[in-house]
Amino acid sequence: MNKTDYSAVFEFVFLGLSTYRPVQNFLLAFSVVFYVIIVLGNLLVVFSVMFDAHLHSPMYFLLGNLSFIDMCLSTVTVPKMISDLYSGKNIISFQGCILQIFALHVLGGSEMVLLLAMALDRYVAICKPLHYLTIMNPQMCVLLLSGAWVIGLLHSLAQLAFVVHLPFCGPNEIDSFYCDLPWFIKLACTDTYRMEFIVTANSGFISTGTFFFLMISYIFILVTVWKRSSGGLSKALSTLSAHITVVVLFFGPCIFVYMWPFPTVSVDKFLAILDFMITPILNPAIYTLRNKDMKMAMRRLGNQVPGLRKIS
Ligand SMILES: *[C@@H]1O[C@H](CO)[C@@H](O)[C@H](O)[C@H]1NC(C)=O
């Protein structure tokens, strides 16, 4: 293979979720509606947490930051998908594809660390309530948050370092609606066995490991509460069930995509919808609408915006 072959691929073509026009129209309507809800819902959470003094606590800071990451995560993939469905041009440049992979892994990595931080926060609040404010002090929150971003960045750079120089010469069709490593690697015209292993190790083991760690932490918290008093269990369960739902829905698709990096059936692209369109809606929905503090904060925020006063 000579050098000119290497640069033969300047762009990739997404095969999308469906080639059937009525299904595409349905997907277009569905993603526009969901994306608008995701952006508005998460912005509402971010602004409520930032501007309402009642919500200046570690739990809400983490929640606000989670909403922000979720919104970015959808923004990396959904608007591109909407424009592809609308225009019928399912093309992304080589650089665009790399950028998408980079952003997805920075945000995904940070979200994982943030979910760990939120589990730690619940553990301290429920199992060590007397030390809550000394352990989860403002410095700790900033440390956890910067840790999340640094780890996400390192994780993403470490993976991309292995794949940016892969040669591409032939097929350029991606059987999905966004770029990610398993599909990207599959298109390279070289022996990709080693790459498969790296992706599985870096993304697959990290997501599986984090998932089991989080599940064990939540079970541990529930058992601690249950041993202490029988009345507290149902209250803890109702708080933690929201966390557990988000964790399952977020990690399920990740584990599937990265632990079976080269599946023969293309279910992974449908599972990805969970991460980009369902979990980002769930966060504002389950953490906030069931939460009295948050609802009151939103009402107060609404009263500060003059135009909204009449509605609320
Ligand atoms: C994110 O967390 C930091 C550190 O705790 C906090 O200062 C900031 O307000 C949070 N951002 C949002 C949008 O909640």
Side-chain angles (χ1 to χ4, degrees):
M1 210 174 298
N2 64 37
K3 199 149 177 66
T4 50
D5 282 336
Y6 279 22
S7 52
V9 171
F10 293 112
E11 58 192 21
F12 295 100
V13 179
F14 291 138
L15 296 183
L17 288 168
S18 169
T19 49
Y20 185 49
R21 197 60 223 178
V23 175
Q24 287 180 342
N25 288 337
F26 168 76
L27 284 170
L28 180 60
F30 173 88
S31 14
V32 169
V33 170
F34 271 57
Y35 186 64
V36 170
I37 299 177
I38 288 168
V39 171
L40 294 180
N42 285 298
L43 279 181
L44 190 60
V45 174
V46 167
F47 286 129
S48 306
V49 171
M50 272 172 29
F51 295 121
D52 198 306
H54 297 82
L55 298 183
H56 285 180
S57 79
M59 186 179 103
Y60 290 111
F61 276 151
L62 296 174
L63 198 62
N65 281 284
L66 186 73
S67 267
F68 176 71
I69 292 185
D70 264 342
M71 192 177 66
C72 296
L73 207 53
S74 317
T75 302
V76 173
T77 54
V78 179
K80 169 71 181 147
M81 175 185 164
I82 290 174
S83 100
D84 286 352
L85 283 167
Y86 181 73
S87 67
K89 286 195 215 109
N90 308 338
I91 287 170
I92 189 166
S93 66
F94 188 85
Q95 288 88 342
C97 187
I98 294 276
L99 197 65
Q100 209 174 31
I101 298 177
F102 174 73
L104 283 181
H105 283 266
V106 173
L107 294 165
S110 312
E111 173 142 353
M112 276 189 201
V113 180
L114 207 57
L115 288 172
L116 285 170
M118 291 175 78
L120 173 74
D121 172 75
R122 286 304 83 201
Y123 166 77
V124 178
I126 294 175
C127 301
K128 307 216 179 302
L130 296 181
H131 304 285
Y132 184 62
L133 287 178
T134 39
I135 299 179
M136 297 300 293
N137 55 34
Q139 292 91 309
M140 183 63 155
C141 291
V142 172
L143 186 74
L144 289 170
L145 190 71
S146 28
W149 285 104
V150 169
I151 289 173
L153 195 64
L154 290 179
H155 155 77
S156 188
L157 287 175
Q159 294 216 115
L160 275 183
F162 287 103
V163 300
V164 277
H165 299 300
L166 284 177
F168 290 88
C169 51
N172 65 344
E173 288 183 340
I174 291 183
D175 185 17
S176 185
F177 60 94
Y178 68 102
C179 276
D180 201 359
L181 287 167
W183 302 299
F184 183 77
I185 293 175
K186 200 160 77 173
L187 295 175
C189 43
T190 176
D191 181 19
T192 54
Y193 184 76
R194 205 169 57 96
M195 300 293 158
E196 277 178 56
F197 177 75
I198 289 166
V199 169
T200 308
N202 194 341
S203 289
F205 290 163
I206 291 180
S207 30
T208 316
T210 316
F211 175 72
F212 281 109
F213 183 80
L214 280 169
M215 280 305 166
I216 292 169
S217 317
Y218 284 126
I219 293 172
F220 180 82
I221 298 176
L222 287 175
V223 168
T224 311
V225 176
W226 177 62
K227 272 195 192 145
R228 212 190 290 149
S229 73
S230 49
L233 187 63
S234 67
K235 187 162 172 276
L237 203 58
S238 82
T239 318
L240 295 185
S241 60
H243 289 236
I244 295 172
T245 312
V246 169
V247 166
V248 170
L249 286 179
F250 179 76
F251 283 96
C254 290
I255 292 176
F256 192 84
V257 170
Y258 300 118
M259 289 309 271
W260 286 272
F262 302 90
T264 43
V265 283
S266 45
V267 275
D268 41 8
K269 62 182 177 186
F270 292 99
L271 282 179
I273 291 183
L274 285 178
D275 270 342
F276 300 127
M277 290 199 243
I278 308 297
T279 9
I281 283 200
L282 276 187
N283 266 337
I286 59 185
Y287 282 107
T288 50
L289 299 182
R290 287 182 13 181
N291 181 318
K292 225 182 281 155
D293 295 337
M294 201 73 194
K295 270 195 241 171
M296 275 161 61
M298 286 177 181
R299 201 159 305 149
R300 282 192 293 267
L301 188 71
N303 288 339
Q304 281 163 18
V305 182
L308 283 178
R309 195 167 296 162
K310 281 196 209 90
I311 305 168
S312 61

